[in-house]
Short mmCIF file of all heavy atoms in Angstrom, two decimals:
data_model
loop_
_atom_site.label_atom_id
_atom_site.label_comp_id
_atom_site.label_asym_id
_atom_site.label_seq_id
_atom_site.Cartn_x
_atom_site.Cartn_y
_atom_site.Cartn_z
N MET A 1 -127.45 -98.29 117.86
CA MET A 1 -126.11 -97.80 118.05
C MET A 1 -126.05 -97.08 119.38
O MET A 1 -126.86 -96.22 119.66
CB MET A 1 -125.74 -96.88 116.90
CG MET A 1 -124.30 -96.52 116.86
SD MET A 1 -123.99 -95.68 115.31
CE MET A 1 -122.46 -96.41 114.95
N ALA A 26 -77.55 -101.91 137.23
CA ALA A 26 -76.36 -101.49 136.50
C ALA A 26 -76.73 -100.93 135.13
O ALA A 26 -76.17 -99.91 134.70
CB ALA A 26 -75.38 -102.65 136.36
N ALA A 27 -77.69 -101.57 134.45
CA ALA A 27 -78.12 -101.07 133.15
C ALA A 27 -78.76 -99.70 133.29
O ALA A 27 -78.52 -98.80 132.48
CB ALA A 27 -79.10 -102.05 132.50
N LEU A 33 -76.11 -92.50 133.09
CA LEU A 33 -74.81 -91.85 132.89
C LEU A 33 -74.73 -91.27 131.47
O LEU A 33 -74.26 -90.14 131.28
CB LEU A 33 -73.68 -92.85 133.14
CG LEU A 33 -72.27 -92.34 132.95
CD1 LEU A 33 -71.93 -91.31 134.01
CD2 LEU A 33 -71.29 -93.51 133.01
N GLU A 34 -75.19 -92.03 130.49
CA GLU A 34 -75.20 -91.52 129.12
C GLU A 34 -76.13 -90.31 128.98
O GLU A 34 -75.80 -89.34 128.29
CB GLU A 34 -75.61 -92.61 128.14
CG GLU A 34 -74.57 -93.67 127.96
CD GLU A 34 -75.02 -94.81 127.09
OE1 GLU A 34 -76.23 -95.11 127.05
OE2 GLU A 34 -74.16 -95.42 126.44
N LEU A 38 -75.04 -86.52 127.87
CA LEU A 38 -75.70 -85.75 126.80
C LEU A 38 -76.20 -84.41 127.33
O LEU A 38 -76.05 -83.38 126.66
CB LEU A 38 -76.89 -86.54 126.24
CG LEU A 38 -76.61 -87.57 125.18
CD1 LEU A 38 -77.84 -88.42 124.92
CD2 LEU A 38 -76.12 -86.93 123.91
N LEU A 39 -76.78 -84.42 128.52
CA LEU A 39 -77.28 -83.19 129.11
C LEU A 39 -76.14 -82.20 129.36
O LEU A 39 -76.25 -81.02 129.03
CB LEU A 39 -78.01 -83.52 130.42
CG LEU A 39 -78.68 -82.35 131.12
CD1 LEU A 39 -79.80 -81.78 130.27
CD2 LEU A 39 -79.22 -82.79 132.47
N VAL A 43 -75.78 -78.57 127.59
CA VAL A 43 -75.68 -77.32 128.37
C VAL A 43 -74.40 -76.58 128.00
O VAL A 43 -74.41 -75.36 127.82
CB VAL A 43 -75.76 -77.62 129.88
CG1 VAL A 43 -75.40 -76.40 130.70
CG2 VAL A 43 -77.15 -78.10 130.25
N TYR A 44 -73.30 -77.31 127.87
CA TYR A 44 -72.03 -76.68 127.50
C TYR A 44 -72.13 -76.00 126.13
O TYR A 44 -71.72 -74.85 125.98
CB TYR A 44 -70.91 -77.73 127.49
CG TYR A 44 -69.59 -77.18 127.01
CD1 TYR A 44 -68.79 -76.41 127.85
CD2 TYR A 44 -69.15 -77.42 125.71
CE1 TYR A 44 -67.58 -75.88 127.42
CE2 TYR A 44 -67.94 -76.91 125.26
CZ TYR A 44 -67.16 -76.15 126.12
OH TYR A 44 -65.97 -75.64 125.68
N ILE A 65 -79.45 -77.27 122.34
CA ILE A 65 -80.85 -77.58 122.62
C ILE A 65 -81.19 -79.00 122.18
O ILE A 65 -81.89 -79.74 122.87
CB ILE A 65 -81.79 -76.55 121.97
CG1 ILE A 65 -81.62 -75.18 122.66
CG2 ILE A 65 -83.24 -76.99 122.02
CD1 ILE A 65 -82.29 -74.03 121.96
N GLN A 84 -88.62 -100.77 137.25
CA GLN A 84 -88.96 -102.06 136.62
C GLN A 84 -90.17 -101.96 135.71
O GLN A 84 -91.06 -102.79 135.73
CB GLN A 84 -89.14 -103.14 137.68
CG GLN A 84 -87.84 -103.51 138.38
CD GLN A 84 -88.03 -104.59 139.40
OE1 GLN A 84 -88.34 -104.32 140.53
NE2 GLN A 84 -87.83 -105.83 138.96
N TRP A 87 -91.83 -101.02 129.52
CA TRP A 87 -91.63 -100.15 128.35
C TRP A 87 -90.23 -99.56 128.29
O TRP A 87 -89.78 -99.13 127.24
CB TRP A 87 -92.64 -99.00 128.36
CG TRP A 87 -92.53 -98.11 129.56
CD1 TRP A 87 -93.28 -98.20 130.70
CD2 TRP A 87 -91.61 -97.03 129.77
NE1 TRP A 87 -92.88 -97.24 131.61
CE2 TRP A 87 -91.86 -96.51 131.06
CE3 TRP A 87 -90.61 -96.45 129.01
CZ2 TRP A 87 -91.14 -95.43 131.59
CZ3 TRP A 87 -89.90 -95.38 129.54
CH2 TRP A 87 -90.17 -94.89 130.81
N ILE A 93 -82.45 -99.64 124.91
CA ILE A 93 -81.72 -100.34 123.84
C ILE A 93 -81.49 -99.42 122.66
O ILE A 93 -80.42 -99.40 122.06
CB ILE A 93 -82.46 -101.63 123.44
CG1 ILE A 93 -82.33 -102.67 124.56
CG2 ILE A 93 -81.93 -102.19 122.13
CD1 ILE A 93 -83.10 -103.95 124.33
N GLN A 108 -61.61 -92.25 115.43
CA GLN A 108 -60.95 -91.81 114.18
C GLN A 108 -60.20 -90.50 114.37
O GLN A 108 -59.37 -90.13 113.56
CB GLN A 108 -61.98 -91.67 113.05
CG GLN A 108 -62.78 -92.92 112.77
CD GLN A 108 -61.92 -94.11 112.38
OE1 GLN A 108 -60.98 -93.98 111.62
NE2 GLN A 108 -62.23 -95.26 112.95
N LEU A 120 -67.05 -94.64 125.90
CA LEU A 120 -68.41 -94.70 125.38
C LEU A 120 -68.71 -96.06 124.76
O LEU A 120 -69.78 -96.62 124.93
CB LEU A 120 -68.68 -93.58 124.40
CG LEU A 120 -70.09 -93.52 123.82
CD1 LEU A 120 -71.14 -93.42 124.91
CD2 LEU A 120 -70.22 -92.36 122.86
N THR A 136 -82.64 -109.66 133.40
CA THR A 136 -83.23 -108.33 133.20
C THR A 136 -84.60 -108.44 132.58
O THR A 136 -85.56 -107.80 133.02
CB THR A 136 -82.30 -107.46 132.34
OG1 THR A 136 -81.03 -107.37 132.97
CG2 THR A 136 -82.86 -106.09 132.14
N ALA A 139 -87.08 -109.75 135.07
CA ALA A 139 -87.45 -108.75 136.09
C ALA A 139 -88.41 -107.71 135.54
O ALA A 139 -89.23 -107.17 136.27
CB ALA A 139 -86.20 -108.08 136.63
N PRO A 145 -91.18 -114.46 122.25
CA PRO A 145 -92.26 -114.78 121.32
C PRO A 145 -92.79 -116.20 121.57
O PRO A 145 -92.03 -117.11 121.85
CB PRO A 145 -91.60 -114.68 119.94
CG PRO A 145 -90.15 -114.67 120.19
CD PRO A 145 -89.92 -114.27 121.60
N ASP A 150 -102.74 -117.16 126.44
CA ASP A 150 -103.85 -117.05 125.51
C ASP A 150 -104.94 -116.22 126.17
O ASP A 150 -105.58 -116.64 127.12
CB ASP A 150 -104.37 -118.45 125.17
CG ASP A 150 -105.29 -118.42 123.98
OD1 ASP A 150 -105.12 -117.53 123.11
OD2 ASP A 150 -106.15 -119.31 123.89
#
Side-chain angles (χ1 to χ4, degrees):
M1 190 170 220
L33 180 67
E34 288 175 331
L38 277 170
L39 184 65
V43 169
Y44 175 78
I65 291 170
Q84 292 181 272
W87 61 264
I93 288 176
Q108 303 302 317
L120 182 57
T136 302
D150 194 28

